[in-house]
Amino acid sequence: MSFFAVLFALILEQARPLARGNWVHAGFRGWARWANRSLDAGKPHHGWIAWTVAVVVPALATLLIHWLLWSINALLAFAWSVAILYVTLGFRQFSHYFTDIRDALDDGDETTARELLAQWRQVDASELPRSEIVRHVIEYSVLAAHRHVFGVLGWFSVLAALGLGPAGAVFYRMSEFVSRYWIYKSKLAIAAGEGASPALQQAATRAWGVIDFLPARVTSLGFAVVGSFEDAIDAWRHYTQRFPASAPVASENRNDGLILAATSGAVNVRLGGEALKTAYSSEASRGGGLDAEVVEGPGIIETTSGRAPEVAHLRSIVGLVWRSVVLWMVLLALLTLARLLG
């Protein structure tokens, strides 16, 4: 059932993507704000309590509804899984920016490309040369694809195989969301004296680093399999040597860096370098989905080897991501077939 739930969700999301400012994602943001305001008293244990309520409670609610629907009718449970995947999984929550920037660069309109990049990520892109625009678009897009698609697929598939339905998809996306959202809101609310405490921000980022540890490596391996395997593994090995587990690098940054390193080798493109300066704006919090408040740049790895970023690399990235999706679907189909035959 997992294979068909993912397939139906991807088709539905491509045919009719969720609109920005939809009530589902607004509800998730409201829940995260409530947990912050009601449970965050500034102490480390308060941070973990608020994180647990914000992340684990929605996942448990998703699981209980799944079990209830399953007890009534398996088709209702299947429809519930499709609905949850529809709001947590998919490319269309971010791909329109990627497409618009690529089209602008194809037309030679670098000004529009910079404006779109700045609007997408709430960063200052006014001084970026063409190659840097491409580099940042690749980095942001690959990480967005991991967080919106491959990481969700991983957690959903494992927990669904254990009989936990779509709870894994909610758990993964909420943990990723709050790790960004609370930091973002705190930086916006410095003058107002609001926002998450340092203890809550630290709890969220630490939890996210652990939760994304295995999915980040599975995504990196998938990119290696469907791309240039030897170069991707070599870039992976170089990154782990440059930033071993003992290095003073946050786990969530290490996960992102590993994905970008594998991507660099898989398509032979130079990634990494200076991050863009954040341009926090209250406009970013109006509307949008769970990715509306993503503002931090992924400039967390040293410059890799490879060719200088070109517009042609954007097409290579699209091919890499879709081949990885096909790989995932084939694996899910084989697992489904094995369970049916077993």
Side-chain angles (χ1 to χ4, degrees), residues 204-245:
T205 54
R206 283 185 176 179
W208 168 240
V210 173
I211 290 167
D212 196 42
F213 179 87
L214 187 57
R217 282 145 184 83
V218 173
T219 296
S220 300
L221 181 60
F223 286 167
V225 170
V226 300
S228 176
F229 184 83
E230 183 176 353
D231 291 335
I233 296 300
D234 184 65
W236 183 336
R237 180 168 53 248
H238 176 77
Y239 180 79
T240 55
Q241 291 173 350
R242 177 67 178 82
F243 299 103

Side-chain angles (χ1 to χ4, degrees), residues 98-281:
F98 176 91
T99 303
D100 291 344
I101 293 172
R102 184 189 63 189
D103 292 344
L105 290 174
D106 281 336
D107 295 338
D109 190 354
E110 296 177 13
T111 300
T112 298
R114 293 188 189 95
E115 292 173 353
L116 289 169
L117 179 59
Q119 180 183 353
W120 178 18
R121 309 306 294 189
Q122 295 300 305
V123 292
D124 180 9
S126 58
E127 303 296 328
L128 284 184
R130 183 182 180 89
S131 63
E132 283 293 283
I133 297 174
V134 174
R135 174 175 77 85
H136 285 290
V137 170
I138 290 174
E139 293 177 351
Y140 286 130
S141 300
V142 167
L143 293 179
H146 166 67
R147 294 168 181 174
H148 283 274
V149 182
F150 302 117
V152 178
L153 276 175
W155 271 91
F156 167 76
S157 301
V158 171
L159 267 63
L162 297 176
L164 301 181
V170 174
F171 179 73
Y172 180 84
R173 287 296 287 130
M174 283 301 296
S175 63
E176 187 273 336
F177 170 64
V178 299
S179 70
R180 295 180 287 105
Y181 183 73
W182 284 332
I183 293 175
Y184 165 81
K185 294 301 290 184
S186 295
K187 291 182 177 180
L188 273 186
I190 289 176
E194 300 176 352
S197 69
L200 179 56
Q201 296 177 47
Q202 186 177 54
T205 54
R206 283 185 176 179
W208 168 240
V210 173
I211 290 167
D212 196 42
F213 179 87
L214 187 57
R217 282 145 184 83
V218 173
T219 296
S220 300
L221 181 60
F223 286 167
V225 170
V226 300
S228 176
F229 184 83
E230 183 176 353
D231 291 335
I233 296 300
D234 184 65
W236 183 336
R237 180 168 53 248
H238 176 77
Y239 180 79
T240 55
Q241 291 173 350
R242 177 67 178 82
F243 299 103
S246 59
V249 179
S251 57
E252 67 275 7
N253 287 348
R254 183 177 283 107
N255 294 338
D256 289 351
L258 187 62
I259 294 170
L260 296 181
T263 302
S264 171
V267 297
N268 189 27
V269 61
R270 187 186 310 143
L271 299 177
E274 185 178 356
L276 292 176
K277 293 182 179 180
T278 299
Y280 289 99
S281 167

Side-chain angles (χ1 to χ4, degrees), residues 272-313:
E274 185 178 356
L276 292 176
K277 293 182 179 180
T278 299
Y280 289 99
S281 167
S282 59
E283 294 297 321
S285 61
R286 301 178 185 174
L290 291 185
D291 207 42
E293 292 80 19
V294 177
V295 289
E296 297 297 338
I300 41 71
I301 65 172
E302 63 176 4
T303 302
T304 65
S305 59
R307 295 169 51 199
E310 302 172 355
V311 176
H313 282 119

